């Protein structure tokens, strides 16, 4: 998994509107990248909505925000429109980005093992250096966790 001190990985993928998003576009800005397992599921909705509800505060702190999951563009668009998110959601169907960040891992649920996205938030400085990794994301307190120093 990406760690504090690591450089923002190069990536390019489509957002919920089918527009290309490139990691290079975020250099020069403080960036929050949060990975969630699946659009429109209870935990992911709680996390994304908490971040959206606190968007202005996060923006005042200078953060750019982007959510990423392996859902297709269509699912990201539905999720984005349903809740009116003020930040982009990236569709990583190829799992290229989740693998670069190291959040595609073996998970266990109800006695079954499977590969999936581990809910994780990464915070980068203006130079694209990772300054914080939040591994134990509290879905209903995601924004306050980001704002903790």
């Amino acid at each position: 998994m990406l760690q504090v001190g690591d450089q923002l990985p190069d990536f390019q993928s489509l957002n919920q509107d089918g527009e290309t998003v490139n990691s290079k576009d975020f250099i020069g800005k403080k960036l929050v990248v949060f990975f969630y397992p699946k659009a429109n599921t209870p935990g992911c909705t709680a996390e994304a909505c908490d971040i959206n509800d606190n968007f202005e505060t996060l923006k005042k702190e200078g953060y750019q925000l982007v959510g990423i999951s392996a859902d297709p563009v269509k699912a990201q668009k539905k999720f984005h429109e349903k809740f009116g998110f003020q930040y982009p959601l990236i569709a990583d169907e190829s799992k290229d980005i989740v693998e670069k960040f190291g959040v595609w891992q073996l998970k266990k649920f109800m006695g079954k093992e499977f590969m999936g996205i581990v809910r994780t938030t990464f915070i980068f400085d203006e130079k694209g250096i990772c300054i914080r990794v939040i591994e134990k994301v509290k879905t209903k307190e995601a924004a306050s966790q980001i704002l903790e120093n």
Side-chain angles (χ1 to χ4, degrees):
M1 184 180 295
L2 211 67
Q3 297 178 354
V4 171
D6 289 345
Q7 183 70 40
L8 175 67
D10 282 339
F11 66 82
Q12 183 174 304
S13 195
L14 301 178
N15 70 8
Q16 73 282 347
D17 296 322
E19 301 164 344
T20 300
V21 177
N22 191 313
S23 58
K24 291 181 175 83
D25 298 339
F26 298 109
I27 300 299
K29 303 166 185 169
K30 291 196 300 188
L31 174 65
V32 174
V33 180
F34 69 98
F35 288 91
Y36 56 97
K38 191 160 179 54
N40 264 316
T41 56
C44 298
T45 299
E47 178 184 15
C49 286
D50 182 66
I51 290 170
N52 198 58
D53 291 346
N54 293 282
F55 180 77
E56 288 304 319
T57 303
L58 291 160
K59 198 168 133 185
K60 280 181 192 156
E61 290 293 320
Y63 290 115
Q64 299 281 313
L65 296 137
V66 63
I68 302 177
S69 75
D71 293 297
V73 171
K74 188 176 176 182
Q76 297 290 39
K77 185 159 187 71
K78 265 186 181 174
F79 190 37
H80 196 272
E81 287 179 350
K82 182 176 180 179
F83 295 100
F85 297 135
Q86 301 168 76
Y87 51 81
L89 299 177
I90 294 178
D92 183 25
E93 285 186 88
S94 69
K95 298 175 190 68
D96 178 54
I97 303 170
V98 296
E99 287 181 2
K100 285 182 178 182
F101 277 78
V103 297
W104 186 253
Q105 298 178 12
L106 187 65
K107 297 170 70 170
K108 286 184 183 183
F109 183 70
M110 294 178 61
K112 292 187 178 170
E113 289 188 345
F114 60 95
M115 294 299 288
I117 293 174
V118 176
R119 186 184 315 278
T120 313
T121 300
F122 298 89
I123 303 174
F124 296 88
D125 67 11
E126 295 86 348
K127 294 177 184 163
I129 304 297
C130 183
I131 57 171
R132 262 182 73 218
V133 179
I134 304 169
E135 291 185 63
K136 304 249 185 266
V137 176
K138 298 175 185 163
T139 58
K140 294 178 182 172
E141 299 170 31
S144 61
Q145 284 184 291
I146 292 165
L147 292 166
E148 287 172 10
N149 285 331

